[in-house]
Amino acid sequence: MATKDNSDTAVIQGRVEDVQELRRSQPTVIPARYVRDGNERPSPALSPILPSMDVPVIDLSRLGSCSSKTPEHESEMAKLAAACEGWGFFQVINHGVEHELLEKMEKLAKEFFMLPLEEKEKYPMPPGGIQGYGHAFVFSEEQKLDWCNMFALGLVPAFVRKPELWPTNPPSFSETLEKYSNSIRLLCETLLGFIAESLGLRRSFFNEMFGEAVQAVRMNYYPPCSWPDLVLGLTPHSDGSALTVLQQDTASVGLQILKDGAWLPVHPITNALVVNVGDTLEVLTNGKYKSVEHRAVTNRESDRLSLVTFYAPSYEIELGPVPELVNDKACLYRRYNHGEYSRHYITNKLEGKKRLDFAQIQTSL
Ligand code: OGA
Ligand code: NI
């Protein structure tokens, strides 16, 4: 039964079925809540893909950490700017996060999802919540469901942490996650430095503005699905973050981005990380850098795992388009409190780029 709370958000009371368990029961038909309407169903993957149609790859070692403006630095910086402007997505190589750490985290996350349901349910995501094991963004019984199990944890600052949700099994999960998130956090700071530079701002611009940045991780496990053309692994959405860093296993393809009206797959590259511009960076850059809609599809035979880090400013700060980036152009977004935007994002279902309406300047006719 769906009920309404006073913020007018429908909170579902009933249980959402666990997708791994559903798969294990080998249903002969797919439950209606997973069957997408015709226009939402994944179309067959586009092929052949021209290399120029692939998400750009940025080599962080070419950007370097010192301030010397070598030709190598300049050309990679131009690639970074073009990726953020034209794609909203790129893959980063030589990113400084140890490959062993990436592999270990992926292995442990997979082990977690392979635990018996009772074990995973020791860390339940409450209805309408976003942390723990379960289904985020489910607010009504009419809503279509994603073919995915999720496990999400707030990491920093300390007040977003829910220690009771950090698993004790697999034994080294929590300790590894701590190392992993520290390392990804450094990468986010570095990337934000180069992104600021690519916009003609000083490198420390966003990192200073963000204050005590908020970081969270969501692990998405997509079991195989016998009807991959009827379901979605994850509903189309843009991320509410400033930056998102996604690690995907290399064994299967599932992430797709909306590019020029078509869904393009993001082919995994071994040891690369996928980075995308979130809504917050779109607002800060007054739409110059794009928060692009993306989704996940499932595969008939293979499962898929992604580890997704969301990096965003402190909830305390007020933000809007950076004046230097607006200049004489029309200002597309208003100023608002980032905490309010985050609340707005997590109390609504995923729905394309709709959440950004919150930041839109209302023009009266
Ligand atoms: C997300 C996301 C895509 C994927 O978690 O926000 O876009 O491939 N995930 O899991
Ligand atoms: Ni996303």
Side-chain angles (χ1 to χ4, degrees), residues 42 174 290 361:
S174 295
K290 310 284 183 323
I361 289 178

Side-chain angles (χ1 to χ4, degrees), residues 89 218 220 222 234-241 244 246 255 276 292-295 308 310 345 350:
F89 265 83
R218 181 160 69 223
N220 303 307
Y222 304 96
L234 190 60
T235 303
H237 66 281
S238 62
D239 296 341
S241 57
T244 302
L246 178 144
L255 173 62
N276 66 285
V292 163
E293 217 174 308
H294 51 285
R295 68 181 187 183
V308 188
F310 301 101
Y345 189 93
L350 295 178

Side-chain angles (χ1 to χ4, degrees), residues 63 69 73 77 80-81 84 188-210 243 281 284-285 288-289 322 324-325:
L63 286 170
K69 300 231 185 300
H73 175 91
M77 194 57 90
L80 176 67
C84 294
C188 289
E189 288 171 1
T190 305
L191 286 170
L192 277 175
F194 290 130
I195 286 174
E197 185 181 332
S198 76
L199 291 160
L201 303 167
R202 63 179 192 285
R203 268 197 201 167
S204 56
F205 189 89
F206 293 124
N207 287 316
E208 278 169 11
M209 171 200 266
F210 281 17
L243 273 189
L281 207 51
L284 288 166
T285 62
K288 185 173 166 73
Y289 287 180
V322 174
E324 293 92 314
L325 303 177

Side-chain angles (χ1 to χ4, degrees), residues 20 105 179 227 303 340 365:
Q20 281 165 273
M105 196 65 249
K179 284 197 195 124
W227 305 271
D303 58 0
E340 248 178 78
L365 295 173

Side-chain angles (χ1 to χ4, degrees), residues 156-157 160 185 188 192 206-207 209-216 239-245 278-281 284 309-317 319 338-339 341-342:
V156 279
V160 303
R185 186 180 186 80
C188 289
L192 277 175
F206 293 124
N207 287 316
M209 171 200 266
F210 281 17
E212 244 193 319
V214 177
Q215 187 184 352
D239 296 341
S241 57
L243 273 189
T244 302
V245 177
D279 294 350
T280 304
L281 207 51
L284 288 166
T309 297
F310 301 101
Y311 190 83
S314 155
Y315 294 140
E316 305 287 313
I317 74 159
L319 60 84
H338 178 68
Y341 183 66
S342 292

Side-chain angles (χ1 to χ4, degrees), residues 31 88 129 154 211 217 219 222 224 238 259 291 293 324 332:
V217 68
M219 305 181 177
Y222 304 96
S238 62
K259 171 88 171 124
S291 172
E293 217 174 308
E324 293 92 314
L332 299 178

